[in-house]
Amino acid sequence: MAPPDRSLVRLLAEWLPRQRWFGGKHRPIDGLSIGTATVLRPGDPGLHHLVLDVGQDGATDRYQLLLGVRRVLPERLRPGEIGRLAAAGGGVEHVYDAAHDPELTRPLLAHMAAGDALGPVRFRHAPGAAIRTDLDAAPSPAEQSNTSLIFGDAYICKLFRRLAPGVNPDLEINLALSRQGCAHVPAVHGWMELDPAAGGDEGGEPVTLALLSEYLRTGTDGWQLALTSVRDWFAQPEPPAPPGTGPGAAPAPAARDAGAAGGDFAAEAERLGAATAQVHRDLAAAFGVTEAPPDELRARVADMNEQLSQVSSAVPDLRPYTAAIREVFARCAANARPLPFQRVHGDYHLGQAMRTGTGWVLLDFEGEPARTPRERRALGHPLRDVAGMLRSFEYAARYLQAGDGGDAPPAAAAAVEERARAWAERNRAAFCRGYAAAGGPDPVAHAGLLRALELDKAVYEVRYEARNRPSWLPVPLRTLERLAG
């Protein structure tokens, strides 16, 4: 491939907005340029590493792309095709997303194993790690803001599509926890990084491009385990109404006993709570703990109120709850006292945990996608992660009804909500019980703080769903009235 030209830039500007991982789908691209272009493998097929500078709404975001180049593109790679360019010496060549090409992703392992530096792109391996170089990769089918490549049954390599300045928290935290001997995170084997000078940041931190970790081939996603339990619970028949009761009467106690389901998740939820507390202890040991004065909590509450103002302005469905939410925030600020702040997961939910044969493993310490790099790395109270997981139980309980359009008759909708609430409450309580028993801050003793954190997360969810999955918007909204009361 010749040096990057305007033809490639035009192709990329058309192709990028169609990608799941591109963060600016609904905004026009004002300008696109290729910041760096590095040959990782010459020839045909060729592999090039590109950093793209994408301008939108007066700001510039950086994305990385593994660009494949072939004279003849096999049918299996056509879904990732970006377009065709004139080839040096005549003819045309296909350019495509090489993350879907096992022949071109295998060299990543070899470069990491050797610790190569190719132009501004550096490949690293963890101390003592012996990386296999004979494995082909298959992209994970899961939709996400990054791209994960699964190398056989040994490794998973996360390519960070949208680049943030400095070391990515996922790499930073996983390396630190590995050094602590934490049993609840996958082992780090290697990573890719970009010389900060390539972005004009002389003397700054390298930019993390990719993270190679242990692949948990026997693991089961926590979200899927929870949904299996929810399905089993909803498949249980309704108990008969007590004699002398009629329509609209309170449900029989058995209707609220989610433990009656054969696929009860509560024991796993309790074990997950304990694993979370252990990871929080290891994070504290690795990065330290700071006593935050009351003014720090008040400042965080001010940020919560600011987010609430922004989201309620953009999403009218949130407005009926704003006064009650602000009252919860006000009580939290009024009761502020010194609190221990530390590094936390930052985007904690059931999809970030895997159940393996030896216990729960926590994944993806990158932080919430909509937060700034500064916000992702900020210290926080450990109950922020607890709040995130409690929200995830609420999501799992209502997932089967997401997108139903609210067409169910009122009585049926109320019965479904009663069941969803019963499942969520049972598993929320079990998680908190396990977390406190394993040494985490007791959620019951910090009920006011936890409620504020959970409401802040729910407001974030409202914004996310309104922007990305409007059919899911009722999921966070259905819990706001009870949570804010």
Side-chain angles (χ1 to χ4, degrees):
M1 184 181 78
D5 60 15
R6 295 183 199 170
S7 298
L8 177 57
V9 169
R10 284 196 297 270
L11 291 175
L12 290 169
E14 295 173 1
W15 176 78
L16 266 179
R18 302 194 300 270
Q19 307 314 302
R20 166 67 177 84
W21 42 263
F22 181 62
K25 298 181 193 63
H26 306 300
R27 294 175 286 142
I29 292 177
D30 303 324
L32 187 151
S33 61
I34 296 175
T36 68
T38 307
V39 178
L40 301 185
R41 171 176 160 163
D44 185 3
L47 177 63
H48 302 251
H49 181 275
L50 305 184
V51 174
L52 310 177
D53 296 325
V54 183
Q56 292 183 291
D57 297 335
T60 300
D61 288 318
R62 311 183 81 197
Y63 292 84
Q64 73 163 318
L65 173 66
L66 295 177
L67 187 76
V69 183
R70 287 180 181 261
R71 290 273 186 166
V72 178
L73 189 67
E75 191 65 32
R76 62 186 171 78
L77 296 177
R78 289 198 178 275
E81 185 173 13
I82 297 169
R84 302 180 185 187
L85 295 174
V92 298
E93 55 192 5
H94 301 265
V95 290
Y96 60 99
D97 186 352
H100 301 273
D101 188 348
E103 189 174 352
L104 293 184
T105 49
R106 182 186 288 194
L108 301 179
L109 296 181
H111 287 313
M112 285 189 209
D116 292 332
L118 302 175
V121 180
R122 305 168 181 167
F123 296 84
R124 305 291 192 221
H125 55 257
I131 299 174
R132 291 178 57 182
T133 60
D134 60 340
L135 300 172
D136 288 336
S140 168
E143 286 193 354
Q144 49 192 329
S145 55
N146 299 303
T147 298
S148 292
L149 306 176
I150 300 171
F151 287 91
D153 61 357
Y155 311 122
I156 184 167
C157 181
K158 183 197 289 187
L159 296 171
F160 298 106
R161 293 291 197 165
R162 186 177 183 179
L163 301 179
V167 179
N168 190 287
D170 206 13
L171 172 61
E172 179 189 23
I173 289 178
N174 272 294
L175 276 174
L177 290 176
S178 294
R179 295 189 187 107
Q180 289 293 322
C182 181
H184 298 292
V185 294
V188 174
H189 293 282
W191 64 95
M192 293 170 56
E193 61 189 29
L194 186 72
D195 189 323
D201 186 16
E202 293 281 356
E205 290 184 321
V207 176
T208 306
L209 300 172
L211 172 62
L212 185 74
S213 303
E214 170 191 8
Y215 178 53
L216 306 172
R217 60 185 181 84
T218 63
T220 304
D221 178 79
W223 174 253
Q224 294 302 325
L225 282 175
L227 289 188
T228 298
S229 172
V230 171
R231 289 190 182 98
D232 186 73
W233 167 230
F234 273 91
Q236 302 299 309
E238 289 279 358
T245 60
R256 294 189 294 267
D257 183 10
D264 186 23
F265 189 71
E268 288 298 344
E270 187 167 348
R271 284 189 278 268
L272 179 58
T276 305
Q278 179 62 61
V279 170
H280 281 160
R281 285 201 302 275
D282 288 339
L283 282 170
F287 294 99
V289 178
T290 298
E291 184 177 273
D295 282 349
E296 177 63 27
L297 180 58
R298 295 187 189 104
R300 299 293 175 94
V301 172
D303 291 341
M304 295 177 187
N305 274 306
E306 176 60 26
Q307 175 180 252
L308 179 59
S309 295
Q310 294 173 1
V311 179
S312 61
S313 176
V315 186
D317 289 335
L318 179 61
R319 294 172 193 167
Y321 308 104
T322 55
I325 294 172
R326 290 195 192 280
E327 178 59 30
V328 173
F329 290 168
R331 289 198 298 269
C332 182
N335 295 324
R337 61 184 187 277
L339 290 172
F341 274 31
Q342 62 169 80
R343 292 296 292 271
V344 295
H345 185 284
D347 187 22
Y348 196 42
H349 54 77
L350 285 161
Q352 310 285 42
M354 294 279 284
R355 183 64 166 91
T356 72
T358 57
W360 283 99
V361 175
L362 278 56
L363 310 172
D364 296 337
F365 290 81
E366 191 178 355
E368 291 172 331
R371 303 291 188 185
T372 66
R374 179 187 63 82
E375 289 172 326
R376 294 182 189 190
R377 299 179 75 172
L379 303 183
H381 194 276
L383 288 180
R384 179 184 169 194
D385 285 343
V386 173
M389 186 57 68
L390 297 186
R391 295 299 309 151
S392 193
F393 287 126
E394 299 284 358
Y395 259 68
R398 293 166 178 82
Y399 171 78
L400 298 179
Q401 285 71 50
D404 63 9
D407 296 330
V416 167
E417 175 60 21
E418 177 72 23
R419 285 211 158 196
R421 184 179 298 184
W423 188 93
E425 288 178 352
R426 176 174 175 79
N427 288 283
R428 287 163 58 98
F431 178 87
C432 290
R433 186 167 57 248
Y435 183 78
D442 187 356
V444 175
H446 298 79
L449 173 62
L450 181 59
R451 178 177 288 187
L453 291 168
E454 195 175 348
L455 278 168
D456 184 53
K457 182 69 172 181
V459 172
Y460 172 91
E461 293 163 358
V462 168
R463 177 176 60 183
Y464 181 88
E465 303 303 359
R467 287 179 176 177
N468 299 281
R469 299 183 298 191
S471 65
W472 282 53
L473 185 56
V475 175
L477 290 174
R478 281 171 184 156
T479 62
L480 277 177
E481 183 173 3
R482 174 173 57 88
L483 192 60

